[in-house]
Amino acid sequence: MTRQATAVAHPNIALAKYWGKLPGAGNVPAVPSLSVTLAGMSTTTTVSFDENLVRDELVLNGVREVDSRALFRASELLDRVRVSAGVTARARVVSDNDFPTASGLASSASGFAALALAATKAADLDWSREQVAELARRSSASAARSLFDGFAELDGGVEDGIPSAGRARSVAPPSALDVRVLVCVTTEAPKSTSSTDGMRITQETSPYYAAWVSDAPLAHRQLREALLAGDFGRVGALAERSALAMHACAMAAGIVYVTGPTLDALAHVRVLRDRGLLVFATMDAGPHLKCLVRAADADAARTELARIVGVRRVLETTPGAGARILDASPERPR
Ligand code: DP6
């Protein structure tokens, strides 16, 4: 017998960044973060628990993973699901991204969000979105935010001496802010240092890490307020500041994700702003620059960004829906 479910999830881009973890095994962030879930790019994942399998299998973008880190991380998540559901069967996971994988376009966010949702559904667990987000967070913290529509936040850090439980929740629907996200794709290649390694090295060696951790909660709160007020200019300015602070902190530890085209695009964003076009930039653990712009300015900004040497293409996305089940067959013969 096979129990199978398919889920789709979208990447999210953090406006207030997560970078660094609390001590312990729960993968709880050291700072709170706030993101926008993007329509347009997606991961579709099917999980089938099958008594006839001897080990978990993962086919990622058509390629069968053998002894890889991706397979190990997927198995860890599946083990947690098996324990909760009392399932012993191994699983076959087939996952496809319609955008570059592991290059800083948040494929781990959409990947683990889709996997967590499909696996819990296939195992017949009747979990809330928050519970599925918690499962996703343990594999990749940013994935917890991709469970939710529009704007979502993920707790982190220590408040009044109490360590955060790392809960994620929805903050506002996609319609809360007039914003388009323009992704300037600078390479199709995978990034050189994973976010997990990058933040560990930052935490261990950046002289600015303590400053980052103490500054981030206020930055997150201010961004949340600006978002709920629908203030695009303030959200954009705070998002750019959060990205620059995160990268400055990481760079001081020798972790450099930006390349020449990233910085050229960033410089151009600032020129455009000086000329009166309200556009802001953010960057994650990869070389792509993501620009925030209002809908009415998206075409003008896109034309400008596409002209930059080293920007291969510009993807335009909008705030979109959280992860969802596409298809579930609770129990059917093989
Ligand atoms: C720069 O969620 O990929 O995109 O929890 O170790 O899997 P792990 O890290 P991950 O880190 C994302 C970092 C970021 C900022 C963000 O999304 O908040």
Side-chain angles (χ1 to χ4, degrees):
M1 298 292 253
T2 311
R3 302 197 296 184
Q4 175 173 313
T6 299
V8 63
H10 306 281
N12 68 77
I13 302 289
L15 304 174
K17 302 290 181 197
Y18 144 53
W19 197 250
K21 300 170 197 283
L22 290 184
N27 203 31
V28 176
V31 296
S33 57
L34 195 154
S35 65
V36 54
T37 300
L38 301 178
M41 296 188 270
S42 55
T43 301
T44 305
T45 300
T46 300
V47 174
S48 321
F49 286 104
D50 185 338
E51 306 287 355
N52 295 301
L53 293 173
V54 290
R55 61 180 66 86
D56 291 328
E57 294 179 1
L58 172 64
V59 179
L60 190 54
N61 298 316
V63 178
R64 197 188 159 116
E65 299 279 326
V66 183
D67 286 338
S68 69
R69 176 111 188 98
L71 174 59
F72 176 78
R73 288 177 82 182
S75 263
E76 271 185 336
L77 186 150
L78 293 165
D79 283 343
R80 293 189 180 106
V81 171
R82 279 187 281 257
V83 167
S84 298
V87 170
T88 51
R90 303 291 105 184
R92 183 177 306 104
V93 178
V94 178
S95 186
D96 290 294
N97 291 328
D98 63 4
F99 60 95
T101 300
S103 72
L105 281 176
S107 57
S108 77
S110 53
F112 283 108
L115 179 62
L117 191 59
T120 46
K121 185 75 184 177
D124 247 344
L125 287 169
D126 189 18
W127 279 9
S128 68
R129 210 127 268 256
E130 285 71 17
Q131 282 174 295
V132 179
E134 158 131 31
L135 173 70
R137 189 208 72 231
R138 286 172 185 273
S139 293
S140 187
S142 57
R145 300 183 310 235
S146 274
L147 266 307
F148 301 95
D149 293 350
F151 299 86
E153 69 184 354
L154 173 62
D155 295 340
V158 179
E159 216 179 302
D160 301 329
I162 301 167
S164 164
R167 300 230 161 77
R169 70 189 64 80
S170 167
V171 173
S175 59
L177 192 71
D178 171 16
V179 65
R180 294 280 182 275
V181 181
L182 304 177
V183 181
C184 302
V185 177
T186 56
T187 173
E188 312 290 337
K191 61 192 170 197
S192 50
T193 310
S194 70
S195 327
T196 311
D197 288 345
M199 62 180 92
R200 181 180 46 76
I201 295 165
T202 304
Q203 221 161 328
E204 285 168 1
T205 64
S206 175
Y208 306 139
Y209 183 68
W212 158 254
V213 169
S214 82
D215 180 68
L218 177 62
H220 165 260
R221 248 188 335 268
Q222 288 173 333
L223 204 140
R224 190 181 205 279
E225 277 166 24
L227 167 68
L228 294 176
D231 185 343
F232 171 79
R234 188 149 166 73
V235 167
L238 288 164
E240 190 169 303
R241 182 182 177 280
S242 174
L244 292 174
M246 179 208 119
H247 281 267
C249 178
M251 274 190 207
I255 301 297
V256 182
Y257 290 111
V258 296
T259 58
T262 325
L263 293 175
D264 288 345
L266 175 62
H268 200 59
V269 161
R270 292 167 158 232
V271 168
L272 293 176
R273 222 155 56 215
D274 286 345
R275 285 194 212 144
L277 186 64
L278 210 54
V279 50
F280 299 91
T282 182
M283 308 166 278
D284 293 294
H288 316 291
L289 196 81
K290 290 119 185 185
C291 300
L292 308 172
V293 67
R294 284 186 294 210
D297 294 331
D299 282 350
R302 195 179 170 153
T303 306
E304 288 283 343
L305 294 165
R307 275 212 283 263
I308 296 165
V309 177
V311 172
R312 299 161 75 106
R313 56 203 168 99
V314 181
L315 310 171
E316 182 173 338
T317 66
T318 58
R324 62 205 172 276
I325 292 292
L326 289 185
D327 178 42
S329 12
E331 196 123 337
R332 66 178 174 78
R334 291 183 81 234

